[in-house]
Amino acid sequence: MDKAFLIQLAGSAAAVMALVALAAWAKIAKPLTPLDDARARRLLAQEFPGKPLERIWVATDGRGAVARSGASALVLFELGDAYVARHVPWAQAVSSSFRDGVVKIDLSDVAAPMARIALDRWPPTPREAA
């Protein structure tokens, strides 16, 4: 092995290590600011323009929200480093399982199969849901 080969090998190894470090750094998820009522309404209005929001329940940890819009439930939840919005029938959202302070809404979507939203209680009373 001559000197030129060792220099080229060291340079290549350094370049590969730099690319691996860049890829690892790029995958670090940026923390999201927790949702509040106004921000959840704004995001849902962007995703579902023209759908009136009758009532909204924001997660206790700020990582999701459920809103009622007529016969639909609009679900907003954190997935990766962004918020994802989906809609399901209101009856399906109300009948979702609630255990240990977390409601699990089945979305039947390959990209986002289930929404887990921390709420104080679920389902809402008929008076709250109206």
Side-chain angles (χ1 to χ4, degrees), residues 1-48:
M1 289 192 217
D2 61 346
K3 192 174 182 181
F5 175 75
L6 292 176
I7 292 172
Q8 185 178 5
L9 181 65
S12 296
V16 168
M17 287 191 311
L19 288 173
V20 168
L22 178 66
W25 174 78
K27 284 191 171 194
I28 297 173
K30 296 153 198 74
L32 294 173
T33 55
L35 287 173
D36 59 3
D37 191 57
R39 185 160 182 238
R41 285 182 186 278
R42 191 172 54 252
L43 289 172
L44 287 169
Q46 285 177 338
E47 287 294 322
F48 305 104

Side-chain angles (χ1 to χ4, degrees), residues 62-85:
R63 297 178 65 191
V66 179
R68 182 168 187 181
S69 177
S72 295
L74 308 179
V75 183
L76 183 69
F77 61 102
E78 188 177 315
L79 185 66
D81 61 351
Y83 287 105
V84 176

Side-chain angles (χ1 to χ4, degrees), residues 34-35 57-64 101-102 117-121:
L35 287 173
W57 294 266
V58 178
T60 55
D61 59 3
R63 297 178 65 191
V102 177
I117 301 173
L119 296 171
D120 290 329
R121 58 190 176 85

